[in-house]
């Protein structure tokens, strides 16, 4: 059996009221909360993937501002190891209400609301990325080098 890494992007989007943009989605038979996130497609630039996933899952056009970090997570449900490149972004404009088929709804939740729903998080990385953002973790986007740049 050949091991294949799973590279994903996730985006932390905070509004002026310190609420975070989250998606309510179906995952392995559960209804969970997650940041806008998903797999990087073949030949896709990493930052383009973050922008695309945000739009597809939330309907929001975002402007990626910072790199928050590279997170590793082995999902107990399927044993798959995921490498999550997480970014912070600014919501620019709501462009559509048409969302990916697995997305049930989008929510703007405060940190307190999110902590109260911890059992509903898709993974512990959802809260960890927001806490890292709140603690001031920010790296310049040029630490990500794509072939197109």
């Amino acid at each position: 059996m050949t091991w294949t890494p799973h590279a994903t992007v996730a985006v932390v989007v905070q509004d002026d009221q310190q609420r975070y943009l989250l998606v309510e989605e179906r995952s392995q038979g559960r209804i969970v909360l997650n940041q806008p996130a998903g797999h990087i497609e073949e030949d896709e630039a990493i930052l383009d993937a973050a922008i695309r996933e945000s739009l597809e899952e939330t309907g929001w056009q975002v402007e990626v501002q910072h790199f928050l970090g590279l997170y590793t997570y082995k999902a107990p449900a399927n044993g798959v190891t995921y490498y999550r490149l997480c970014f912070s972004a600014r919501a620019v404009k709501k462009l559509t209400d048409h969302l990916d088929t697995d997305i049930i709804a989008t929510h703007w939740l405060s940190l307190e609301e999110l902590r109260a729903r911890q059992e509903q998080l898709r993974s512990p990385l959802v809260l960890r990325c927001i806490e890292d953002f709140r603690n001031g973790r920010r790296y310049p986007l040029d630490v990500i080098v794509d072939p197109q740049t």
Side-chain angles (χ1 to χ4, degrees):
M1 185 165 127
T2 304
W3 176 75
T4 304
H6 292 265
T8 64
V9 291
V11 183
V12 173
V13 181
Q14 182 186 49
D15 70 6
D16 294 338
Q17 299 168 23
Q18 294 196 354
R19 297 176 306 169
Y20 299 92
L21 181 59
L22 295 157
V23 296
E24 183 177 0
E25 62 185 347
R26 290 176 192 85
S27 175
Q28 299 181 348
R30 292 181 54 220
I31 306 256
V32 296
L33 293 171
N34 197 9
Q35 275 100 14
H39 284 85
I40 302 165
E41 296 177 358
E42 186 174 358
D43 296 325
E44 183 176 34
I46 294 168
L47 293 175
D48 290 346
I51 293 166
R52 175 186 54 77
E53 286 291 349
S54 295
L55 180 60
E56 289 176 356
E57 293 195 351
T58 70
W60 280 90
Q61 174 188 7
V62 300
E63 177 187 353
V64 178
Q65 296 181 310
H66 299 99
F67 178 57
L68 297 180
L70 173 61
Y71 300 79
T72 305
Y73 177 69
K74 187 170 184 174
N78 61 13
V80 172
T81 298
Y82 295 91
Y83 297 94
R84 174 188 258 222
L85 292 106
C86 192
F87 298 90
S88 65
R90 179 180 70 84
V92 176
K93 183 178 182 182
K94 178 81 168 174
L95 295 180
T96 183
D97 289 322
H98 184 262
L99 308 177
D100 275 356
T101 55
D102 287 341
I103 305 299
I104 298 166
T106 60
H107 303 284
W108 288 95
L109 298 176
S110 68
L111 182 60
E112 295 73 29
E113 291 170 320
L114 190 58
R115 284 183 175 146
R117 296 172 72 173
Q118 275 191 38
E119 73 287 342
Q120 201 178 351
L121 301 182
R122 183 164 183 165
S123 83
L125 294 183
V126 175
L127 189 55
R128 171 72 189 271
C129 290
I130 289 174
E131 288 174 339
D132 286 349
F133 173 79
R134 289 177 59 90
N135 288 330
R137 177 177 284 185
R138 310 276 193 286
Y139 298 103
L141 293 176
D142 65 4
V143 300
I144 304 296
V145 180
D146 279 318
Q148 292 88 341
T149 57

